[in-house]
Amino acid sequence: MSETIITQTWPTPPHAGTIRKPGPGDLNVLAAIENQCFSIDRISRSGLRRFLTRSRQDPWGVRFLAVEHGACVCGYILLLLRRNSLIARIYSIAVMPEHRRTGMARTLLAGAESVAVESGRNRIRLEVREDNAAAIRLYTSIGYQTFGRIEPYYEDRTAAIRMEKPL
Ligand SMILES: CC(C)(COP(=O)(O)OP(=O)(O)OC[C@H]1O[C@@H](n2cnc3c(N)ncnc32)[C@H](O)[C@@H]1OP(=O)(O)O)[C@@H](O)C(=O)NCCC(=O)NCCS
């Protein structure tokens, strides 16, 4: 059975969901989210399975969080916690199109930031496509700042903006 680990309680957007740790039974829905949300640089089904396994066996290396609305898993975030590093890294975040603009991503990011703080990290970083205005606006709205750029970075050679937030 799935375990609820964090309940969204802060006073922002309506129906922003509940966060829980996904299990092996969530692989299909996570793969569907990945396919719907990304056209390139997708995490393969076997990659998602590996992250799920690692998240359960070595929770301080990888943390996989899903956000639910009712009985529906509508998004996920993958957080990497390298040993001997004070910096957590968001590896991927995605929310199903029909659940966007309802605060789901903010909920996922708040959950990931809580995990990073609990694990002793003092900064959190991510890379985002330079042309992903929605995501850049999201990160900026909650305190992430640009500190670098890598070109090329993605499969189609688009540059990545590197962003960081102190925790
Ligand atoms: C980016 C993404 C995760 C945002 O998810 P979301 O659940 O819709 O985001 P939220 O509802 O929490 O949005 C929070 C804020 O982000 C910004 N934002 C999100 N989507 C936006 C859009 N399409 N246009 C402009 N601003 C947007 C807004 O500031 C928004 O606040 P507001 O709704 O009060 O104006 C989602 O669009 C997605 O899955 N995209 C495809 C995958 C992807 O690009 N992932 C990021 C990889 S770095």
Side-chain angles (χ1 to χ4, degrees):
M1 199 168 82
S2 310
E3 176 195 356
T4 299
I5 54 169
I6 300 165
T7 303
Q8 199 270 344
T9 51
W10 43 95
T12 37
H15 97 259
T18 302
I19 288 191
R20 70 169 171 83
K21 197 190 293 188
D26 294 308
L27 181 60
N28 283 343
V29 71
L30 293 169
I33 294 171
E34 192 68 11
N35 285 334
Q36 286 237 9
C37 294
F38 297 102
S39 50
I40 60 167
D41 291 292
R42 281 186 184 131
I43 306 173
S44 65
R45 190 181 169 83
S46 56
L48 289 167
R49 187 186 291 113
R50 272 197 302 277
F51 279 125
L52 278 172
T53 306
R54 278 185 62 197
S55 178
R56 297 183 89 78
Q57 289 174 350
D58 175 21
W60 298 117
V62 174
R63 288 296 282 268
F64 216 141
L65 303 179
V67 65
E68 279 186 329
H69 174 55
C72 158
V73 173
C74 45
Y76 79 81
I77 191 164
L78 255 173
L79 181 72
L80 303 186
L81 298 164
R82 274 208 342 252
R83 288 184 204 285
N84 306 319
S85 173
L86 291 175
I87 305 171
R89 177 172 170 229
I90 293 167
Y91 185 71
S92 187
I93 177 171
V95 172
M96 282 292 215
E98 61 271 29
H99 289 280
R100 290 187 188 159
R101 299 309 289 269
T102 62
M104 294 290 175
R106 278 200 180 125
T107 299
L108 285 164
L109 285 158
E113 289 167 13
S114 296
V115 168
V117 169
E118 279 165 29
S119 70
R121 274 50 178 190
N122 63 14
R123 273 176 291 166
I124 187 161
R125 287 184 175 175
L126 56 85
E127 291 82 34
V128 55
R129 285 177 66 97
E130 191 170 52
D131 58 6
N132 192 342
I136 292 170
R137 185 161 161 203
L138 161 68
Y139 302 136
T140 305
S141 78
I142 55 168
Y144 288 75
Q145 290 185 332
T146 299
F147 73 95
R149 181 175 182 276
I150 310 173
E151 184 181 17
Y153 187 81
Y154 294 97
E155 239 171 67
D156 63 356
R157 304 186 65 76
T158 298
I161 302 296
R162 304 189 75 195
M163 302 187 84
E164 178 179 275
K165 178 179 176 176
L167 294 172

